[in-house]
Amino acid sequence: MGIAEIQQVAVGLFAEKGYAATGIRELGRAAGINSATLYHYAGSKQEILTSIMRSCLEELLRSAIEAVGVSADPGVQLARLVRVHVGLCALNPLTAKVTDQEIRALRPDDHTVLIGLRDDYESIFARVIEHGMSAGVFQLTDQRVARLALLEMCNGVANWYRPDGRLGIAEVQDQLVELACRLMGTPSRAGEESGDLPAPIRLASEPVADHTHGAEVAG
């Protein structure tokens, strides 16, 4: 048993019951260790949550910076950002849900740091949208509402993605890129136009037994 396995157990419980409703003893029992051993590895339940969320947000931020750095075309940048976000949520749905939903459970200091990471990530979307508007590529009446709607659409993949559905990750990415481009009032960028992206990675905190690589969407 190591920290990754403890995080996987925690993510499963936090996603199912919520952080507040999950006790440290329950977490230890689910991990098959006693509380003393759990504290040795993780320190506290809050530290476990913070570590899970930090890793997820840092990966989103890292991959977003990489995604927009290959082209000055805001339409291509948008397509690549959507592919990155959708890929992470599809392959790490429980971690993505915990990161999105449990921000309110953080202590003030941790909350400040992680909100800062989230803001840094969302600011990349904001800059791409602003660039697209100033270049006449996007057609929007309210940039902030469009950005929030776009992020909510991408986050939602974690709620409806299923391993036994009919579409693969790349196909889901293609469809959400098309929807995102329609939202922005710009022609869709096909996969070959937006260039190659590294395959999404499974985060160490994502429970392995519940979701397998190459999963498909429900419906």
CSV table of all heavy atoms in Angstrom, one decimal, residues 99-165:
chain,number,residue,atom,x,y,z
A,99,THR,N,-12.2,16.9,-8.0
A,99,THR,CA,-11.5,18.2,-8.2
A,99,THR,C,-12.5,19.3,-8.4
A,99,THR,O,-12.3,20.4,-7.9
A,99,THR,CB,-10.5,18.1,-9.3
A,99,THR,OG1,-9.5,17.0,-9.0
A,99,THR,CG2,-9.7,19.4,-9.5
A,100,ASP,N,-13.5,19.0,-9.2
A,100,ASP,CA,-14.5,20.0,-9.6
A,100,ASP,C,-15.5,20.3,-8.5
A,100,ASP,O,-15.8,21.5,-8.3
A,100,ASP,CB,-15.3,19.6,-10.8
A,100,ASP,CG,-16.2,20.6,-11.4
A,100,ASP,OD1,-15.8,21.8,-11.5
A,100,ASP,OD2,-17.4,20.3,-11.7
A,101,GLN,N,-15.8,19.3,-7.7
A,101,GLN,CA,-16.9,19.5,-6.7
A,101,GLN,C,-16.5,19.8,-5.3
A,101,GLN,O,-17.3,20.3,-4.5
A,101,GLN,CB,-17.8,18.2,-6.8
A,101,GLN,CG,-18.5,18.0,-8.1
A,101,GLN,CD,-19.2,16.7,-8.2
A,101,GLN,OE1,-19.3,15.9,-7.2
A,101,GLN,NE2,-19.8,16.4,-9.3
A,102,GLU,N,-15.3,19.4,-4.9
A,102,GLU,CA,-14.9,19.5,-3.5
A,102,GLU,C,-14.0,20.7,-3.2
A,102,GLU,O,-13.4,20.7,-2.1
A,102,GLU,CB,-14.2,18.2,-3.1
A,102,GLU,CG,-15.1,17.0,-3.1
A,102,GLU,CD,-16.3,17.0,-2.1
A,102,GLU,OE1,-16.2,17.9,-1.2
A,102,GLU,OE2,-17.2,16.2,-2.3
A,103,ILE,N,-14.0,21.7,-4.0
A,103,ILE,CA,-13.2,22.9,-3.8
A,103,ILE,C,-13.6,23.6,-2.5
A,103,ILE,O,-12.8,24.2,-1.8
A,103,ILE,CB,-13.2,23.8,-5.0
A,103,ILE,CG1,-12.0,24.8,-4.9
A,103,ILE,CG2,-14.5,24.5,-5.1
A,103,ILE,CD1,-10.8,24.3,-5.5
A,104,ARG,N,-14.9,23.5,-2.2
A,104,ARG,CA,-15.5,24.1,-1.0
A,104,ARG,C,-15.0,23.5,0.3
A,104,ARG,O,-15.1,24.0,1.4
A,104,ARG,CB,-17.0,24.1,-1.1
A,104,ARG,CG,-17.6,22.7,-1.0
A,104,ARG,CD,-19.1,22.6,-1.3
A,104,ARG,NE,-19.6,21.3,-1.3
A,104,ARG,CZ,-19.5,20.4,-2.3
A,104,ARG,NH1,-18.9,20.7,-3.4
A,104,ARG,NH2,-20.0,19.2,-2.1
A,105,ALA,N,-14.5,22.2,0.2
A,105,ALA,CA,-14.1,21.5,1.4
A,105,ALA,C,-12.7,21.8,1.8
A,105,ALA,O,-12.2,21.4,2.9
A,105,ALA,CB,-14.2,20.0,1.1
A,106,LEU,N,-11.9,22.6,1.1
A,106,LEU,CA,-10.5,22.9,1.4
A,106,LEU,C,-10.4,23.9,2.5
A,106,LEU,O,-11.2,24.8,2.7
A,106,LEU,CB,-9.8,23.4,0.2
A,106,LEU,CG,-9.7,22.4,-1.0
A,106,LEU,CD1,-9.2,23.2,-2.3
A,106,LEU,CD2,-8.8,21.3,-0.7
A,107,ARG,N,-9.3,23.8,3.3
A,107,ARG,CA,-9.0,24.8,4.3
A,107,ARG,C,-8.6,26.1,3.6
A,107,ARG,O,-8.2,26.1,2.4
A,107,ARG,CB,-7.8,24.3,5.1
A,107,ARG,CG,-8.2,23.1,6.0
A,107,ARG,CD,-6.9,22.7,6.8
A,107,ARG,NE,-5.8,22.3,5.8
A,107,ARG,CZ,-5.0,21.3,6.1
A,107,ARG,NH1,-5.0,20.7,7.3
A,107,ARG,NH2,-4.0,21.1,5.3
A,108,PRO,N,-8.7,27.3,4.2
A,108,PRO,CA,-8.4,28.5,3.6
A,108,PRO,C,-7.1,28.6,2.8
A,108,PRO,O,-7.1,29.1,1.6
A,108,PRO,CB,-8.5,29.6,4.7
A,108,PRO,CG,-9.4,28.9,5.7
A,108,PRO,CD,-9.2,27.5,5.6
A,109,ASP,N,-6.0,28.2,3.4
A,109,ASP,CA,-4.7,28.3,2.7
A,109,ASP,C,-4.7,27.4,1.5
A,109,ASP,O,-4.2,27.8,0.4
A,109,ASP,CB,-3.6,27.9,3.7
A,109,ASP,CG,-3.3,28.9,4.7
A,109,ASP,OD1,-3.9,30.0,4.6
A,109,ASP,OD2,-2.6,28.6,5.7
A,110,ASP,N,-5.2,26.2,1.6
A,110,ASP,CA,-5.2,25.2,0.5
A,110,ASP,C,-6.2,25.8,-0.6
A,110,ASP,O,-5.9,25.7,-1.8
A,110,ASP,CB,-5.6,23.8,0.9
A,110,ASP,CG,-4.6,23.2,1.8
A,110,ASP,OD1,-3.4,23.5,1.6
A,110,ASP,OD2,-5.0,22.4,2.7
A,111,HIS,N,-7.3,26.3,-0.1
A,111,HIS,CA,-8.3,26.8,-1.1
A,111,HIS,C,-7.7,27.9,-1.9
A,111,HIS,O,-7.9,28.0,-3.1
A,111,HIS,CB,-9.5,27.4,-0.3
A,111,HIS,CG,-10.6,27.9,-1.1
A,111,HIS,ND1,-10.7,29.1,-1.6
A,111,HIS,CD2,-11.8,27.2,-1.5
A,111,HIS,CE1,-11.8,29.3,-2.3
A,111,HIS,NE2,-12.5,28.1,-2.3
A,112,THR,N,-6.9,28.8,-1.3
A,112,THR,CA,-6.3,29.9,-2.0
A,112,THR,C,-5.4,29.4,-3.1
A,112,THR,O,-5.4,29.9,-4.3
A,112,THR,CB,-5.5,30.8,-1.1
A,112,THR,OG1,-6.5,31.4,-0.1
A,112,THR,CG2,-4.8,32.0,-1.8
A,113,VAL,N,-4.5,28.4,-2.7
A,113,VAL,CA,-3.5,27.9,-3.7
A,113,VAL,C,-4.2,27.2,-4.9
A,113,VAL,O,-3.9,27.4,-6.0
A,113,VAL,CB,-2.6,26.9,-3.0
A,113,VAL,CG1,-1.7,26.2,-4.0
A,113,VAL,CG2,-1.7,27.7,-2.0
A,114,LEU,N,-5.2,26.4,-4.6
A,114,LEU,CA,-5.8,25.6,-5.6
A,114,LEU,C,-6.8,26.4,-6.5
A,114,LEU,O,-6.9,26.2,-7.7
A,114,LEU,CB,-6.5,24.4,-5.0
A,114,LEU,CG,-5.6,23.4,-4.4
A,114,LEU,CD1,-6.3,22.2,-3.7
A,114,LEU,CD2,-4.6,22.8,-5.5
A,115,ILE,N,-7.4,27.4,-5.9
A,115,ILE,CA,-8.2,28.3,-6.7
A,115,ILE,C,-7.3,29.1,-7.6
A,115,ILE,O,-7.7,29.4,-8.8
A,115,ILE,CB,-9.0,29.3,-5.8
A,115,ILE,CG1,-10.2,28.6,-5.2
A,115,ILE,CG2,-9.5,30.5,-6.6
A,115,ILE,CD1,-11.3,28.2,-6.2
A,116,GLY,N,-6.1,29.4,-7.1
A,116,GLY,CA,-5.1,30.1,-8.0
A,116,GLY,C,-4.8,29.2,-9.2
A,116,GLY,O,-4.7,29.7,-10.3
A,117,LEU,N,-4.5,27.9,-9.0
A,117,LEU,CA,-4.3,27.0,-10.1
A,117,LEU,C,-5.4,26.9,-11.1
A,117,LEU,O,-5.2,26.9,-12.3
A,117,LEU,CB,-3.9,25.6,-9.6
A,117,LEU,CG,-2.6,25.4,-9.0
A,117,LEU,CD1,-2.5,24.0,-8.3
A,117,LEU,CD2,-1.5,25.5,-10.0
A,118,ARG,N,-6.6,26.8,-10.5
A,118,ARG,CA,-7.8,26.7,-11.4
A,118,ARG,C,-8.0,28.0,-12.2
A,118,ARG,O,-8.3,28.0,-13.4
A,118,ARG,CB,-9.1,26.5,-10.5
A,118,ARG,CG,-10.3,26.2,-11.4
A,118,ARG,CD,-11.5,26.0,-10.5
A,118,ARG,NE,-12.0,27.3,-10.0
A,118,ARG,CZ,-13.1,27.4,-9.2
A,118,ARG,NH1,-13.8,26.4,-8.9
A,118,ARG,NH2,-13.4,28.6,-8.7
A,119,ASP,N,-7.7,29.2,-11.5
A,119,ASP,CA,-7.8,30.4,-12.2
A,119,ASP,C,-6.8,30.5,-13.4
A,119,ASP,O,-7.1,31.1,-14.4
A,119,ASP,CB,-7.7,31.6,-11.3
A,119,ASP,CG,-8.9,31.8,-10.4
A,119,ASP,OD1,-10.0,31.1,-10.6
A,119,ASP,OD2,-8.8,32.5,-9.4
A,120,ASP,N,-5.6,30.1,-13.1
A,120,ASP,CA,-4.5,30.1,-14.1
A,120,ASP,C,-5.0,29.3,-15.3
A,120,ASP,O,-4.7,29.6,-16.5
A,120,ASP,CB,-3.2,29.5,-13.5
A,120,ASP,CG,-2.6,30.5,-12.5
A,120,ASP,OD1,-2.9,31.7,-12.5
A,120,ASP,OD2,-1.7,30.0,-11.8
A,121,TYR,N,-5.6,28.1,-15.0
A,121,TYR,CA,-6.0,27.2,-16.1
A,121,TYR,C,-7.1,27.9,-16.9
A,121,TYR,O,-7.1,28.0,-18.1
A,121,TYR,CB,-6.5,25.9,-15.5
A,121,TYR,CG,-7.1,25.0,-16.6
A,121,TYR,CD1,-6.3,24.4,-17.6
A,121,TYR,CD2,-8.4,24.7,-16.6
A,121,TYR,CE1,-6.8,23.6,-18.5
A,121,TYR,CE2,-9.0,23.8,-17.5
A,121,TYR,CZ,-8.2,23.3,-18.5
A,121,TYR,OH,-8.7,22.5,-19.5
A,122,GLU,N,-8.1,28.4,-16.2
A,122,GLU,CA,-9.3,29.0,-16.9
A,122,GLU,C,-8.9,30.3,-17.7
A,122,GLU,O,-9.5,30.6,-18.7
A,122,GLU,CB,-10.4,29.3,-15.9
A,122,GLU,CG,-11.0,28.0,-15.3
A,122,GLU,CD,-12.3,28.3,-14.5
A,122,GLU,OE1,-12.7,29.5,-14.4
A,122,GLU,OE2,-12.8,27.3,-13.9
A,123,SER,N,-7.8,31.0,-17.2
A,123,SER,CA,-7.4,32.2,-17.9
A,123,SER,C,-6.8,31.9,-19.3
A,123,SER,O,-6.8,32.7,-20.1
A,123,SER,CB,-6.3,32.9,-17.0
A,123,SER,OG,-5.1,32.2,-17.0
A,124,ILE,N,-6.3,30.6,-19.5
A,124,ILE,CA,-5.9,30.3,-20.8
A,124,ILE,C,-7.1,30.2,-21.8
A,124,ILE,O,-7.0,30.7,-22.9
A,124,ILE,CB,-5.2,28.9,-20.7
A,124,ILE,CG1,-3.9,29.0,-19.9
A,124,ILE,CG2,-4.8,28.4,-22.2
A,124,ILE,CD1,-3.2,27.7,-19.7
A,125,PHE,N,-8.2,29.7,-21.3
A,125,PHE,CA,-9.4,29.7,-22.1
A,125,PHE,C,-9.8,31.1,-22.4
A,125,PHE,O,-10.2,31.5,-23.5
A,125,PHE,CB,-10.5,28.9,-21.4
A,125,PHE,CG,-10.4,27.5,-21.6
A,125,PHE,CD1,-9.6,26.7,-20.8
A,125,PHE,CD2,-11.2,26.8,-22.5
A,125,PHE,CE1,-9.6,25.3,-20.9
A,125,PHE,CE2,-11.2,25.4,-22.6
A,125,PHE,CZ,-10.3,24.7,-21.8
A,126,ALA,N,-9.8,32.0,-21.3
A,126,ALA,CA,-10.2,33.4,-21.5
A,126,ALA,C,-9.4,34.1,-22.5
A,126,ALA,O,-9.9,34.9,-23.3
A,126,ALA,CB,-10.1,34.1,-20.1
A,127,ARG,N,-8.0,33.9,-22.5
A,127,ARG,CA,-7.1,34.5,-23.4
A,127,ARG,C,-7.4,34.1,-24.9
A,127,ARG,O,-7.3,34.9,-25.8
A,127,ARG,CB,-5.7,34.3,-23.0
A,127,ARG,CG,-5.3,35.1,-21.8
A,127,ARG,CD,-3.8,35.2,-21.6
A,127,ARG,NE,-3.2,33.9,-21.5
A,127,ARG,CZ,-3.0,33.2,-20.3
A,127,ARG,NH1,-3.4,33.8,-19.2
A,127,ARG,NH2,-2.4,32.0,-20.3
A,128,VAL,N,-7.6,32.8,-25.0
A,128,VAL,CA,-7.9,32.2,-26.4
A,128,VAL,C,-9.2,32.8,-26.9
A,128,VAL,O,-9.3,33.2,-28.1
A,128,VAL,CB,-7.9,30.7,-26.4
A,128,VAL,CG1,-8.5,30.1,-27.7
A,128,VAL,CG2,-6.6,30.1,-26.1
A,129,ILE,N,-10.2,32.9,-26.1
A,129,ILE,CA,-11.5,33.5,-26.5
A,129,ILE,C,-11.3,34.9,-26.8
A,129,ILE,O,-11.9,35.4,-27.9
A,129,ILE,CB,-12.6,33.2,-25.4
A,129,ILE,CG1,-12.9,31.8,-25.3
A,129,ILE,CG2,-13.8,34.0,-25.8
A,129,ILE,CD1,-13.8,31.4,-24.1
A,130,GLU,N,-10.6,35.7,-26.0
A,130,GLU,CA,-10.4,37.1,-26.3
A,130,GLU,C,-9.6,37.3,-27.6
A,130,GLU,O,-10.0,38.2,-28.4
A,130,GLU,CB,-9.7,37.7,-25.1
A,130,GLU,CG,-9.5,39.2,-25.3
A,130,GLU,CD,-8.8,39.9,-24.1
A,130,GLU,OE1,-8.5,39.1,-23.1
A,130,GLU,OE2,-8.6,41.1,-24.1
A,131,HIS,N,-8.6,36.5,-27.8
A,131,HIS,CA,-7.9,36.5,-29.0
A,131,HIS,C,-8.8,36.2,-30.2
A,131,HIS,O,-8.7,36.9,-31.3
A,131,HIS,CB,-6.7,35.5,-29.0
A,131,HIS,CG,-5.9,35.4,-30.2
A,131,HIS,ND1,-5.1,34.3,-30.5
A,131,HIS,CD2,-5.7,36.3,-31.2
A,131,HIS,CE1,-4.5,34.5,-31.6
A,131,HIS,NE2,-4.8,35.7,-32.1
A,132,GLY,N,-9.6,35.2,-30.1
A,132,GLY,CA,-10.5,34.9,-31.2
A,132,GLY,C,-11.5,36.0,-31.5
A,132,GLY,O,-11.8,36.2,-32.7
A,133,MET,N,-11.9,36.7,-30.5
A,133,MET,CA,-12.9,37.8,-30.7
A,133,MET,C,-12.2,38.9,-31.4
A,133,MET,O,-12.7,39.5,-32.3
A,133,MET,CB,-13.5,38.2,-29.4
A,133,MET,CG,-14.5,37.2,-28.8
A,133,MET,SD,-16.0,37.2,-29.8
A,133,MET,CE,-16.7,38.8,-29.4
A,134,SER,N,-11.0,39.3,-30.9
A,134,SER,CA,-10.3,40.4,-31.5
A,134,SER,C,-9.8,40.2,-32.9
A,134,SER,O,-9.7,41.1,-33.7
A,134,SER,CB,-9.0,40.8,-30.6
A,134,SER,OG,-8.1,39.7,-30.6
A,135,ALA,N,-9.6,38.9,-33.2
A,135,ALA,CA,-9.2,38.6,-34.6
A,135,ALA,C,-10.4,38.4,-35.5
A,135,ALA,O,-10.2,38.1,-36.7
A,135,ALA,CB,-8.4,37.3,-34.6
A,136,GLY,N,-11.6,38.5,-35.0
A,136,GLY,CA,-12.8,38.3,-35.8
A,136,GLY,C,-13.1,36.8,-36.1
A,136,GLY,O,-13.9,36.5,-37.0
A,137,VAL,N,-12.4,35.9,-35.4
A,137,VAL,CA,-12.6,34.4,-35.6
A,137,VAL,C,-13.8,33.9,-34.9
A,137,VAL,O,-14.5,33.0,-35.4
A,137,VAL,CB,-11.3,33.7,-35.2
A,137,VAL,CG1,-11.5,32.2,-35.4
A,137,VAL,CG2,-10.1,34.1,-36.1
A,138,PHE,N,-14.0,34.4,-33.6
A,138,PHE,CA,-15.2,34.0,-32.8
A,138,PHE,C,-16.3,35.1,-32.9
A,138,PHE,O,-15.9,36.3,-33.0
A,138,PHE,CB,-14.8,33.8,-31.4
A,138,PHE,CG,-13.7,32.7,-31.2
A,138,PHE,CD1,-13.0,32.6,-30.0
A,138,PHE,CD2,-13.5,31.7,-32.1
A,138,PHE,CE1,-12.0,31.7,-29.8
A,138,PHE,CE2,-12.6,30.7,-32.0
A,138,PHE,CZ,-11.8,30.7,-30.8
A,139,GLN,N,-17.5,34.7,-32.7
A,139,GLN,CA,-18.7,35.6,-32.7
A,139,GLN,C,-19.5,35.4,-31.5
A,139,GLN,O,-20.2,34.4,-31.4
A,139,GLN,CB,-19.5,35.4,-34.0
A,139,GLN,CG,-18.8,35.4,-35.3
A,139,GLN,CD,-18.2,36.8,-35.6
A,139,GLN,OE1,-18.8,37.8,-35.2
A,139,GLN,NE2,-17.0,36.8,-36.2
A,140,LEU,N,-19.3,36.2,-30.5
A,140,LEU,CA,-19.9,36.0,-29.2
A,140,LEU,C,-20.5,37.3,-28.7
A,140,LEU,O,-20.0,38.4,-29.0
A,140,LEU,CB,-18.9,35.5,-28.1
A,140,LEU,CG,-18.2,34.2,-28.4
A,140,LEU,CD1,-17.1,34.0,-27.4
A,140,LEU,CD2,-19.2,33.0,-28.3
A,141,THR,N,-21.6,37.2,-27.9
A,141,THR,CA,-22.2,38.4,-27.2
A,141,THR,C,-21.6,38.6,-25.8
A,141,THR,O,-21.6,39.7,-25.3
A,141,THR,CB,-23.7,38.3,-27.2
A,141,THR,OG1,-24.1,37.1,-26.5
A,141,THR,CG2,-24.3,38.3,-28.6
A,142,ASP,N,-21.2,37.5,-25.2
A,142,ASP,CA,-20.6,37.6,-23.8
A,142,ASP,C,-19.5,36.5,-23.7
A,142,ASP,O,-19.8,35.3,-23.6
A,142,ASP,CB,-21.8,37.3,-22.8
A,142,ASP,CG,-21.3,37.7,-21.4
A,142,ASP,OD1,-20.2,37.2,-20.9
A,142,ASP,OD2,-22.1,38.3,-20.7
A,143,GLN,N,-18.3,37.0,-23.6
A,143,GLN,CA,-17.2,36.1,-23.5
A,143,GLN,C,-17.1,35.2,-22.3
A,143,GLN,O,-16.8,34.1,-22.3
A,143,GLN,CB,-15.8,36.9,-23.7
A,143,GLN,CG,-15.7,37.5,-25.0
A,143,GLN,CD,-14.3,38.3,-25.1
A,143,GLN,OE1,-13.3,37.7,-24.7
A,143,GLN,NE2,-14.3,39.5,-25.7
A,144,ARG,N,-17.5,35.9,-21.1
A,144,ARG,CA,-17.4,35.1,-19.9
A,144,ARG,C,-18.5,34.0,-19.8
A,144,ARG,O,-18.2,32.9,-19.4
A,144,ARG,CB,-17.7,36.1,-18.7
A,144,ARG,CG,-17.6,35.4,-17.3
A,144,ARG,CD,-17.6,36.4,-16.2
A,144,ARG,NE,-17.4,35.8,-14.9
A,144,ARG,CZ,-18.4,35.2,-14.2
A,144,ARG,NH1,-19.6,35.2,-14.6
A,144,ARG,NH2,-18.1,34.6,-13.0
A,145,VAL,N,-19.7,34.3,-20.2
A,145,VAL,CA,-20.7,33.3,-20.3
A,145,VAL,C,-20.3,32.1,-21.2
A,145,VAL,O,-20.5,31.0,-20.9
A,145,VAL,CB,-22.1,33.9,-20.7
A,145,VAL,CG1,-23.1,32.8,-21.0
A,145,VAL,CG2,-22.6,34.8,-19.6
A,146,ALA,N,-19.7,32.5,-22.4
A,146,ALA,CA,-19.3,31.4,-23.3
A,146,ALA,C,-18.2,30.6,-22.7
A,146,ALA,O,-18.2,29.3,-22.8
A,146,ALA,CB,-18.8,32.1,-24.6
A,147,ARG,N,-17.3,31.2,-22.0
A,147,ARG,CA,-16.2,30.4,-21.3
A,147,ARG,C,-16.7,29.5,-20.3
A,147,ARG,O,-16.3,28.3,-20.2
A,147,ARG,CB,-15.1,31.4,-20.7
A,147,ARG,CG,-14.1,30.7,-19.9
A,147,ARG,CD,-13.0,31.7,-19.4
A,147,ARG,NE,-13.5,32.8,-18.8
A,147,ARG,CZ,-13.8,32.8,-17.4
A,147,ARG,NH1,-13.7,31.8,-16.7
A,147,ARG,NH2,-14.3,33.9,-16.9
A,148,LEU,N,-17.6,30.0,-19.4
A,148,LEU,CA,-18.2,29.2,-18.4
A,148,LEU,C,-19.0,28.0,-19.0
A,148,LEU,O,-18.9,26.9,-18.5
A,148,LEU,CB,-19.1,30.0,-17.5
A,148,LEU,CG,-18.3,31.1,-16.6
A,148,LEU,CD1,-19.3,31.9,-15.9
A,148,LEU,CD2,-17.3,30.4,-15.7
A,149,ALA,N,-19.8,28.3,-20.0
A,149,ALA,CA,-20.5,27.2,-20.7
A,149,ALA,C,-19.6,26.2,-21.3
A,149,ALA,O,-19.9,25.0,-21.2
A,149,ALA,CB,-21.4,27.8,-21.7
A,150,LEU,N,-18.5,26.6,-21.9
A,150,LEU,CA,-17.6,25.7,-22.5
A,150,LEU,C,-16.9,24.8,-21.5
A,150,LEU,O,-16.8,23.6,-21.7
A,150,LEU,CB,-16.5,26.5,-23.2
A,150,LEU,CG,-15.3,25.7,-23.9
A,150,LEU,CD1,-15.9,24.8,-24.9
A,150,LEU,CD2,-14.3,26.7,-24.5
A,151,LEU,N,-16.5,25.4,-20.4
A,151,LEU,CA,-15.8,24.6,-19.3
A,151,LEU,C,-16.8,23.6,-18.7
A,151,LEU,O,-16.5,22.5,-18.4
A,151,LEU,CB,-15.2,25.5,-18.3
A,151,LEU,CG,-14.0,26.2,-18.7
A,151,LEU,CD1,-13.6,27.4,-17.7
A,151,LEU,CD2,-12.8,25.3,-18.8
A,152,GLU,N,-18.1,24.1,-18.5
A,152,GLU,CA,-19.1,23.2,-17.9
A,152,GLU,C,-19.4,22.0,-18.8
A,152,GLU,O,-19.5,20.9,-18.4
A,152,GLU,CB,-20.4,24.0,-17.7
A,152,GLU,CG,-21.4,23.2,-16.8
A,152,GLU,CD,-21.0,23.0,-15.4
A,152,GLU,OE1,-20.1,23.7,-14.9
A,152,GLU,OE2,-21.5,22.1,-14.7
A,153,MET,N,-19.4,22.2,-20.1
A,153,MET,CA,-19.6,21.2,-21.1
A,153,MET,C,-18.5,20.2,-21.0
A,153,MET,O,-18.7,18.9,-21.0
A,153,MET,CB,-19.7,21.8,-22.5
A,153,MET,CG,-19.9,20.7,-23.6
A,153,MET,SD,-20.0,21.4,-25.3
A,153,MET,CE,-18.3,21.9,-25.5
A,154,CYS,N,-17.2,20.6,-21.0
A,154,CYS,CA,-16.1,19.7,-20.9
A,154,CYS,C,-16.1,19.0,-19.6
A,154,CYS,O,-15.8,17.7,-19.5
A,154,CYS,CB,-14.8,20.5,-21.1
A,154,CYS,SG,-14.6,21.2,-22.7
A,155,ASN,N,-16.3,19.7,-18.5
A,155,ASN,CA,-16.4,19.0,-17.2
A,155,ASN,C,-17.4,17.9,-17.1
A,155,ASN,O,-17.3,16.9,-16.4
A,155,ASN,CB,-16.6,20.0,-16.0
A,155,ASN,CG,-15.5,20.9,-15.7
A,155,ASN,OD1,-14.3,20.5,-15.9
A,155,ASN,ND2,-15.7,22.1,-15.2
A,156,GLY,N,-18.5,18.1,-17.8
A,156,GLY,CA,-19.6,17.2,-17.8
A,156,GLY,C,-19.3,15.8,-18.3
A,156,GLY,O,-20.0,14.8,-18.0
A,157,VAL,N,-18.2,15.7,-19.1
A,157,VAL,CA,-17.8,14.4,-19.7
A,157,VAL,C,-17.6,13.4,-18.5
A,157,VAL,O,-17.9,12.2,-18.7
A,157,VAL,CB,-16.5,14.6,-20.5
A,157,VAL,CG1,-16.0,13.2,-20.9
A,157,VAL,CG2,-16.9,15.4,-21.8
A,158,ALA,N,-17.1,13.9,-17.4
A,158,ALA,CA,-16.8,13.0,-16.3
A,158,ALA,C,-18.1,12.4,-15.7
A,158,ALA,O,-18.0,11.3,-15.1
A,158,ALA,CB,-16.1,13.8,-15.2
A,159,ASN,N,-19.2,13.0,-16.0
A,159,ASN,CA,-20.5,12.5,-15.4
A,159,ASN,C,-21.1,11.4,-16.3
A,159,ASN,O,-21.8,10.6,-15.9
A,159,ASN,CB,-21.5,13.6,-15.2
A,159,ASN,CG,-21.0,14.6,-14.1
A,159,ASN,OD1,-20.4,14.2,-13.1
A,159,ASN,ND2,-21.1,15.9,-14.4
A,160,TRP,N,-20.9,11.6,-17.7
A,160,TRP,CA,-21.7,10.6,-18.5
A,160,TRP,C,-20.8,9.7,-19.4
A,160,TRP,O,-21.3,8.8,-20.0
A,160,TRP,CB,-22.6,11.4,-19.5
A,160,TRP,CG,-22.0,12.6,-20.3
A,160,TRP,CD1,-22.1,13.9,-20.0
A,160,TRP,CD2,-21.2,12.5,-21.5
A,160,TRP,NE1,-21.4,14.6,-20.9
A,160,TRP,CE2,-20.9,13.8,-21.8
A,160,TRP,CE3,-20.7,11.4,-22.2
A,160,TRP,CZ2,-20.1,14.1,-23.0
A,160,TRP,CZ3,-19.9,11.7,-23.4
A,160,TRP,CH2,-19.6,13.0,-23.7
A,161,TYR,N,-19.5,9.8,-19.2
A,161,TYR,CA,-18.6,8.9,-20.0
A,161,TYR,C,-18.7,7.5,-19.4
A,161,TYR,O,-18.7,7.4,-18.2
A,161,TYR,CB,-17.2,9.5,-19.9
A,161,TYR,CG,-16.3,8.8,-20.8
A,161,TYR,CD1,-16.2,9.1,-22.2
A,161,TYR,CD2,-15.4,7.8,-20.4
A,161,TYR,CE1,-15.3,8.4,-23.1
A,161,TYR,CE2,-14.5,7.2,-21.2
A,161,TYR,CZ,-14.5,7.5,-22.6
A,161,TYR,OH,-13.6,6.9,-23.4
A,162,ARG,N,-18.8,6.5,-20.2
A,162,ARG,CA,-18.9,5.1,-19.8
A,162,ARG,C,-17.9,4.2,-20.6
A,162,ARG,O,-17.8,4.4,-21.8
A,162,ARG,CB,-20.3,4.6,-19.9
A,162,ARG,CG,-21.3,5.3,-19.0
A,162,ARG,CD,-21.0,5.0,-17.5
A,162,ARG,NE,-22.0,5.7,-16.7
A,162,ARG,CZ,-21.9,6.9,-16.1
A,162,ARG,NH1,-20.8,7.6,-16.4
A,162,ARG,NH2,-22.8,7.4,-15.4
A,163,PRO,N,-17.4,3.2,-19.9
A,163,PRO,CA,-16.4,2.3,-20.6
A,163,PRO,C,-17.1,1.4,-21.6
A,163,PRO,O,-16.5,0.8,-22.5
A,163,PRO,CB,-15.8,1.5,-19.5
A,163,PRO,CG,-16.7,1.6,-18.4
A,163,PRO,CD,-17.4,2.9,-18.5
A,164,ASP,N,-18.4,1.2,-21.5
A,164,ASP,CA,-19.1,0.3,-22.4
A,164,ASP,C,-20.0,1.0,-23.4
A,164,ASP,O,-21.0,0.4,-23.9
A,164,ASP,CB,-19.9,-0.7,-21.6
A,164,ASP,CG,-20.9,0.0,-20.7
A,164,ASP,OD1,-20.9,1.2,-20.6
A,164,ASP,OD2,-21.8,-0.7,-20.1
A,165,GLY,N,-19.7,2.2,-23.7
A,165,GLY,CA,-20.6,3.0,-24.7
A,165,GLY,C,-20.1,2.8,-26.1
A,165,GLY,O,-19.4,1.8,-26.4
